[in-house]
Each structure stands twice: as C-alpha cells, then as structure tokens.
Amino acid sequence: MLIAIDGPAGAGKSTVARAVADALGFTYLDSGAMYRCVALGELRGAEDPLAAQIDLGGGRVTLDGEDVTEAIRTPEVSERASQVAARPEVRGHLVALQRAMVRDGDYVAEGRDIGTVVAPDAELKVFLTASPEERARRRAAQLGVEPEQVLREQAERDTRDATRAHSPLQPASDALRVDTTGLGIDEVVARIARLVQAVR
Ligand code: CDP
C-alpha cells in the first residue's frame, strides 16, 4: 500500500509523513532528500551529481557512503534543490529511482509530485497545506532564524515549484486536502490515520 503526501515547504509533510509511517509500520520515503542530495553534489562540484549513490535507509541520508543527513538541510542546499528540481533530466532520474523503491511493500512517500507523477495509483493521496506565514514560522523555528527572511525565500521557492514547466507542484485531482494551519502534529497524524483506515 502507498500513501502519498504532497505539499509545499513547511506544511509539515516530513514530520507528519514520518509519524504516519511509524504509526502504521510503513516505510517512510523522503523524496525531497533525493533532490537535496543532487543539489549538494552540484554545490560541491561533483562531475556527475546524478551518478552518486543515494541511500535513505535507517533514518539517515547517505551520498556515496557519506552521511549527509544534516548537510542537505542548509538554506543554500534548499535553494539549489528547488533549482535542480526544475530540470527534466534530474526529475526523470529521481522519479525512476522512487518508483522502483515503492514498487513493493508499504510506503508513506512524501514530496511534491508523488500523487501526480511518481505514484498516480497511490491508495491514498493527501495534499498538506498551511498558510504561508505559518509555514515560514515553523521553518524559522527549525532553523533558528527570523520568520521574515524565511517567508521571502519560501515565496520564491513556492513560485518556482508551482510554475515550473515540468511537474509543477499541484494537488492530484483525487488528493484530499488537509490544511494544517493552527493544528498540532498529533491532530494532523490522527486525521490522516482516519483517512488511511477508510481506504484500507
Ligand atoms: O522540506 P522542504 O519542503 O522545504 O523541501 P524538500 O521536500 O526537502 O524538497 C526540496 C526541494 O526539492 C523542493 O523545493 C522542491 O523543489 C523539490 N522537490 C520536488 O520537486 N519534488 C519532490 N517530490 C520533492 C522535492
């Protein structure tokens, strides 16, 4: 079974998807981490960033055997990830890897295009949203920086993700929208768990 959780930055996807996967005993797939790995490779001047081995097992992210779990979370990598994610050859490569990963077993996969491109047949598709201000507040608290700065960078990234020609961020027509503004994480997880029960 596959549960797709898509949505913009700061909507709570990672936390929610991880918690839902834990609650159900499913495997969690963070597709954004893969775009971040390609971005990190490029920033480091790798000759062919797409040739690098990305491993998401055990709650850590490794790139050619190096643990990059923290290194891929910097604002610089976030910015570059959203740029590389607009390139068709990057998307084609990573989408193929993601499809192979979720082919067998039970997954909660999180990203921008899981329900639309990677797994249009997912049994449940959730589109998580929250107001831009709330999303920026959450991300700023995570990074320990000012919300105003995050809000500006986030708006740029939102626009790029939503307007790119290739797989723009948009909800699948059969996705269920969950607005997390003002909701605690437990409430969101419980809501999605109920949606899962309904399709199981
Ligand atoms: O955590 P946050 O939502 O900020 O980012 P992420 O999920 O780690 O994804 C980083 C970047 O990769 C995003 O800005 C998207 O441009 C891109 N991405 C994508 O295009 N498709 C996905 N399935 C996942 C991420």
Side-chain angles (χ1 to χ4, degrees):
M1 178 173 186
L2 178 64
I3 300 166
I5 301 186
D6 291 302
K13 287 183 314 263
S14 306
T15 316
V16 167
R18 207 175 270 124
V20 171
D22 281 351
L24 297 170
F26 286 17
T27 306
Y28 165 61
L29 170 62
D30 176 2
S31 65
M34 300 173 79
Y35 290 90
R36 288 172 178 275
C37 281
V38 173
L40 182 65
E42 278 201 1
L43 286 168
R44 288 175 167 181
E47 206 162 289
D48 183 4
L50 292 186
Q53 180 75 32
I54 300 170
D55 192 348
L56 302 179
R60 309 295 297 176
V61 181
T62 59
L63 185 58
D64 278 340
E66 175 194 347
D67 190 326
V68 294
T69 313
E70 279 84 34
I72 59 167
R73 299 291 158 194
T74 65
E76 196 187 9
V77 174
S78 300
E79 172 64 21
R80 181 61 81 97
S82 133
Q83 290 170 7
V84 305
R87 301 208 313 253
E89 81 278 10
V90 174
R91 302 207 71 84
H93 175 67
L94 295 183
V95 166
L97 291 178
Q98 290 154 13
R99 284 185 178 147
M101 286 166 137
V102 301
R103 200 158 30 220
D104 299 308
D106 295 318
Y107 278 87
V108 179
E110 172 239 308
R112 303 287 195 286
D113 61 343
I114 305 298
T116 49
V117 177
V118 176
D121 296 336
E123 282 85 347
L124 177 66
K125 300 178 188 179
V126 174
F127 196 80
L128 272 197
T129 58
S131 71
E133 292 75 18
E134 170 121 358
R135 294 194 282 117
R137 238 189 335 267
R138 289 177 186 162
R139 184 50 55 96
Q142 257 174 13
L143 296 171
V145 297
E146 289 305 312
E148 291 72 25
Q149 182 197 336
V150 176
L151 191 58
R152 265 196 311 276
E153 291 170 3
Q154 175 184 277
E156 273 175 39
R157 223 146 57 88
D158 280 356
T159 306
R160 193 182 301 126
D161 288 352
T163 57
R164 68 186 174 215
H166 202 277
S167 302
L169 171 66
Q170 54 179 206
S173 56
D174 51 350
L176 303 171
R177 274 177 179 273
V178 175
D179 187 336
T180 68
T181 311
L183 292 185
I185 176 77
D186 292 349
E187 252 170 308
V188 179
V189 172
R191 206 172 276 197
I192 295 177
R194 280 199 297 276
L195 296 175
V196 174
Q197 292 313 328
V199 297
R200 259 186 142 175

